[in-house]
Amino acid sequence: MDPKEILKKYYHFAVVGVSQNKEKYGYKIFSRLKERGYDVFGVSPIYSRVDDIKLYRDLEDIRHPIDCVVFVCAKEHVYEYIGEMRGLGIRYAWMQPNTYDDKLLEYIREYGITPILACALVETS
């Protein structure tokens, strides 16, 4: 599925790798999606809040529907969340540039999840 189609069709996103640092992409992408009116949940193993918004330690802690997970973290951390995505029925993994390699993409597809390879900041500008 095309990134623009995802943004038109779905409204519930989780962002893995949210940062409190406003210069980091994890913060920028989380904020941009919220500004654009999407229902966005942040996931961070480090921070519990950003801009007074609760963050979650993992996807299973989010008690709301999620259509797509946006990954803004090192590729080695993505593996931890793919099983959760499958268990929760989340079908799309939005992979920011430099968050994946061919081995990870194959792993994601083996779980029946469709990777979206695009920059969320570019696609929402």
Side-chain angles (χ1 to χ4, degrees):
M1 185 174 278
D2 174 274
K4 294 283 189 203
E5 289 178 68
I6 292 285
L7 292 168
K8 286 179 186 173
K9 187 173 181 180
Y10 299 108
Y11 295 94
H12 310 289
F13 290 83
V15 178
V16 173
V18 175
S19 173
Q20 291 179 340
N21 182 338
K22 294 181 180 188
E23 299 302 312
K24 299 260 186 181
Y25 287 111
Y27 180 88
K28 291 178 181 183
I29 291 166
F30 178 74
S31 298
R32 173 73 62 84
L33 289 169
K34 287 193 107 20
E35 288 168 6
R36 297 295 190 265
Y38 294 98
D39 192 19
V40 186
F41 302 92
V43 177
S44 172
I46 300 169
Y47 305 109
S48 60
R49 301 188 83 70
V50 65
D51 291 344
D52 250 359
I53 300 167
K54 178 184 176 173
L55 299 178
Y56 298 86
R57 291 198 61 75
D58 56 43
L59 296 170
E60 292 173 342
D61 287 342
I62 301 170
R63 299 290 178 225
H64 303 276
I66 301 295
D67 299 311
C68 179
V69 177
V70 181
F71 287 98
V72 193
C73 59
K75 61 186 163 209
E76 54 268 14
H77 299 297
V78 174
Y79 289 91
E80 305 167 31
Y81 297 97
I82 299 305
E84 279 187 89
M85 288 179 66
R86 184 177 186 185
L88 294 168
I90 302 169
R91 298 180 11 222
Y92 299 101
W94 190 303
M95 308 304 297
Q96 288 296 118
N98 301 314
T99 62
Y100 61 90
D101 57 20
D102 290 340
K103 180 181 172 188
L104 177 56
L105 294 178
E106 182 180 323
Y107 182 81
I108 290 169
R109 289 183 182 110
E110 284 175 7
Y111 273 82
I113 296 167
T114 302
I116 307 300
L117 310 179
C119 176
L121 291 177
V122 171
E123 297 297 332
T124 56
S125 61

